[in-house]
């Protein structure tokens, strides 16, 4: 018989590297992979949230700059929530359309992703002709009793219709100009579209029950940690918690909503 062959293979000398994993070792490997996957998912989630927050702040910075450019061309007046263009008598132009040319948009009626926060759970085009708008202008729905000049926001959306001017704002760096909008207390998405007029933000925020909540309907959950991004009258952007936004709302005069203090 050839010296190169053996009648019976010697399994006892098989290399240890060919030894099969035990059940315990397999379970340990699976557990480690699961832990690593959970860590990676958490990291990716944090990265996504940070990216969404950065894009949202960038949107608001551009919107704020465009608004101030509009003010500069209109004797300091803020863009109205609803206006009628000179050449159009049967159509209205919401504030986002009014400032569109200052954002470099070729058509002032064209929708733009700049008006949607990426954390807003709605589709950009939720339905034909309905483009999501995540932001709304500081507006008041009604005058304070007995004093038509004592309304809080930058825009007055009830009769008599009015907008404030830049030189009227007492503390521009602490006065809200544009803020993120919110869902209802039941978690339902509010219909805030780029082709709609402005909501009355100051009246909506005055009640603790109307603090913004996220689309999942749970209280105290927010698009950006525990705060909302805001463009202020002086042009800078930042974040405030709902408690900070509503602090001193009534009867105090130091709220971030009050244009004239």
């Amino acid at each position: 018989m050839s010296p190169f062959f053996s009648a019976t293979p010697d399994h006892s000398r098989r290399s240890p590297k060919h030894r099969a994993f035990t059940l315990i070792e397999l379970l340990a490997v699976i557990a480690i992979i699961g832990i690593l996957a959970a860590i990676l998912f958490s990291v990716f989630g944090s990265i996504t949230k940070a990216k969404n927050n950065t894009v949202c702040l960038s949107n608001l910075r551009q919107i704020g700059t465009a608004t101030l450019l509009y003010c500069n061309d209109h004797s300091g007046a803020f863009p109205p929530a609803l206006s009628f263009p000179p050449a159009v008598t049967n159509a209205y132009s919401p504030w986002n359309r009014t400032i569109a040319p200052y954002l470099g948009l070729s058509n002032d009626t064209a929708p733009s992703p700049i008006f949607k926060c990426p954390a807003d759970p709605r589709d950009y085009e939720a339905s034909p002709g309905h483009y999501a708008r995540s932001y709304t202008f500081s507006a008041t729905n009604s005058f304070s009793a007995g004093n038509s000049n004592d309304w809080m926001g930058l825009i007055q959306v009830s009769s008599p219709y009015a907008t404030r001017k830049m030189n009227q704002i007492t503390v521009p760096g602490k006065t809200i100009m544009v803020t993120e909008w919110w869902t209802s207390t039941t978690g339902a998405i509010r219909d805030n579209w780029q082709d709609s007029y402005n909501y009355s933000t100051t009246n909506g925020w005055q009640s603790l029950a109307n603090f913004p909540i996220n689309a999942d309907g749970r209280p105290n959950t927010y698009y950006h940690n525990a705060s909302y991004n805001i463009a202020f009258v002086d042009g800078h952007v930042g974040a405030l918690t709902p408690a900070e936004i509503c602090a001193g709302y009534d009867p105090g005069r130091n709220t971030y909503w009050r244009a004239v203090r």
Side-chain angles (χ1 to χ4, degrees), residues 126-168:
S127 60
H130 281 72
Y131 294 85
R133 186 178 67 195
S134 307
Y135 312 108
T136 192
F137 219 89
S138 172
T140 304
N141 188 49
S142 61
F143 291 141
S144 299
N147 188 352
S148 62
N149 293 319
D150 195 29
W151 41 285
M152 297 185 68
L154 303 178
I155 299 173
Q156 172 55 247
V157 297
S158 65
S159 180
Y161 190 83
T163 63
R164 293 198 184 278
K165 291 189 175 183
M166 282 289 298
N167 60 10
Q168 294 178 302

Side-chain angles (χ1 to χ4, degrees), residues 6-179:
S6 174
T8 57
D10 188 359
H11 295 290
S12 64
R13 296 183 180 181
R14 180 172 295 176
S15 173
K17 68 180 182 180
H18 293 140
R19 182 177 60 85
F21 285 108
T22 65
L23 177 60
I24 294 177
E25 289 172 331
L26 286 173
L27 292 175
V29 171
I30 292 172
I32 292 172
I33 292 174
I35 293 172
L36 291 175
I39 293 173
L40 288 175
F41 286 143
S42 176
V43 170
F44 291 149
S46 298
I47 292 174
T48 299
K49 289 182 179 179
K51 178 182 177 182
N52 289 345
N53 187 56
T54 299
V55 173
C56 181
L57 287 170
S58 176
N59 289 348
L60 283 168
R61 183 174 289 106
Q62 294 178 72
I63 291 170
T65 300
T67 301
L68 295 179
L69 290 173
Y70 173 94
C71 292
N72 187 62
D73 287 346
H74 293 80
S75 302
F78 288 96
L82 185 63
S83 62
F84 294 86
V88 180
T89 58
N90 60 351
Y92 60 83
S93 179
W95 67 270
N96 59 275
R97 292 183 180 178
T98 302
I99 68 169
Y102 297 91
L103 288 167
L105 300 178
S106 58
N107 185 339
D108 65 359
T109 64
S112 173
I114 197 173
F115 293 107
K116 183 183 182 300
C117 171
D120 188 331
R122 296 174 297 171
D123 292 333
Y124 171 53
E125 188 176 11
S127 60
H130 281 72
Y131 294 85
R133 186 178 67 195
S134 307
Y135 312 108
T136 192
F137 219 89
S138 172
T140 304
N141 188 49
S142 61
F143 291 141
S144 299
N147 188 352
S148 62
N149 293 319
D150 195 29
W151 41 285
M152 297 185 68
L154 303 178
I155 299 173
Q156 172 55 247
V157 297
S158 65
S159 180
Y161 190 83
T163 63
R164 293 198 184 278
K165 291 189 175 183
M166 282 289 298
N167 60 10
Q168 294 178 302
I169 312 307
T170 310
V171 190
K174 292 186 177 181
T175 303
I176 294 172
M177 180 166 61
V178 180
T179 180

